[in-house]
Amino acid sequence: MKFTGTENYVATEDLQMAVNAAIVLQRPLLIKGEPGTGKTLLAEELAKALGAPLIQWHIKSTTKAQQGLYEYDAVSRLRDSQLGDDKVHDISNYIVKGKLWEAFSAEEQCILLIDEIDKADIEFPNDLLLELDKMEFYVYETKERIVAKNRPIVIITSNNEKELPDAFLRRCFFHYINFPDAETMQDIVDVHFPQAQKELVKDALEIFFDVRKVPGMKKKPSTSELIDWLKLLMADELSAKALLEHDPAQAIPPLYGALVKNEQDVHLLQRLAFMARRRG
């Protein structure tokens, strides 16, 4: 089965090709792109499209690669030994399986999402080279080798916060999700709000792309922020009316807090609106 997107996820031809190529090559698919462009959602929708289980490993700055394999709970074993519990004699009782172990031991092929890999330490990707390449690892405490029953489809996302090692990149199929153009964005909005007023959506999209074009914006609004903004506009008839009557030379958009996420950008838009009023 080939991935062509879903009723809830608009996938461009380039993205479809990348997903299907990674599946054929049996390589992890490394997805980069602006925050809010649907990188994480891709794994969720791919799992739905293929009817496969989804295993999610969300990476934090403190996450270690070993945690994805397994962890040995020595503290619990020490406590149980002090209490005289018989299970202390079997060390496997204190091995906590990680997300990779979960994916490797799944009875059917699953989707493994390694989300925001660039948040972790720079050595994190290198520590997973063998496991992602060979789809196996060794448990030293129990002296057993864990081999994937069915090779999972691995989706790895990155927000480009730090560079990934070349050796890791070599093992991945790479795709960068470009920010949607106006036509693709219209398709995305139609998926989320099929009953929305066309005039409202048209005006909202024009304002959204105008805000993104403002020079000096520290954080440009993303797709997810546009969806939130439209949801608010449709929930508040007064705001929707204000948008339809909106004069771009008079003020910043109504409910701009859904689009703009830091004070520097708010002040920038306010200054531009003030300057436009003076010229008017």
Side-chain angles (χ1 to χ4, degrees), residues 30-63:
L30 174 61
I31 296 287
K32 290 187 178 183
E34 286 185 34
T37 49
K39 299 185 296 296
T40 302
L41 189 59
L42 170 63
E44 298 173 6
E45 294 301 320
L46 177 60
K48 290 179 185 176
L50 301 183
L54 174 64
I55 297 174
Q56 303 185 59
W57 187 16
H58 299 287
I59 307 303
K60 301 178 181 178
S61 59
T62 55
T63 304

Side-chain angles (χ1 to χ4, degrees), residues 253-279:
L255 297 169
Y256 64 85
L259 292 176
V260 185
K261 295 304 175 77
N262 62 66
E263 63 277 14
Q264 293 98 319
D265 289 342
V266 172
H267 294 158
L268 174 62
L269 292 177
Q270 288 172 338
R271 284 198 302 272
L272 290 174
F274 175 73
M275 292 168 62
R277 287 197 297 273
R278 289 192 63 181
R279 286 197 297 268

Side-chain angles (χ1 to χ4, degrees), residues 95-129:
I95 300 295
V96 181
K97 296 180 180 180
K99 296 297 183 180
L100 264 73
W101 192 333
E102 245 184 88
F104 288 3
S105 60
E107 294 299 328
E108 57 182 312
Q109 186 179 46
C110 64
I111 310 297
L112 172 62
L113 169 64
I114 304 177
D115 197 27
E116 298 188 330
I117 194 171
D118 52 322
K119 280 187 176 180
D121 184 84
I122 189 62
E123 290 303 320
F124 180 91
N126 280 334
D127 291 341
L128 289 177
L129 289 180

Side-chain angles (χ1 to χ4, degrees), residues 93-195:
N93 290 323
Y94 303 94
I95 300 295
V96 181
K97 296 180 180 180
K99 296 297 183 180
L100 264 73
W101 192 333
E102 245 184 88
F104 288 3
S105 60
E107 294 299 328
E108 57 182 312
Q109 186 179 46
C110 64
I111 310 297
L112 172 62
L113 169 64
I114 304 177
D115 197 27
E116 298 188 330
I117 194 171
D118 52 322
K119 280 187 176 180
D121 184 84
I122 189 62
E123 290 303 320
F124 180 91
N126 280 334
D127 291 341
L128 289 177
L129 289 180
L130 177 65
E131 289 76 12
L132 291 178
D133 198 21
K134 302 295 185 183
M135 288 291 160
E136 63 179 57
F137 62 89
Y138 188 73
V139 183
Y140 293 94
E141 288 80 0
T142 61
K143 298 180 176 56
E144 61 180 322
R145 186 172 299 280
I146 306 301
V147 181
K149 294 181 180 179
N150 298 286
R151 191 180 187 96
I153 298 171
V154 182
I155 306 293
I156 302 172
T157 71
S158 169
N159 287 324
N160 245 355
E161 291 183 8
K162 60 171 70 81
E163 288 296 320
L164 299 174
D166 288 345
F168 178 80
L169 294 174
R170 185 175 64 79
R171 290 165 167 81
C172 298
F173 190 93
F174 172 76
H175 182 73
Y176 185 88
I177 297 183
N178 290 309
F179 195 82
D181 57 21
E183 185 179 346
T184 305
M185 190 64 82
Q186 179 70 62
D187 292 339
I188 293 171
V189 171
D190 288 344
V191 164
H192 287 85
F193 306 109
Q195 307 300 326

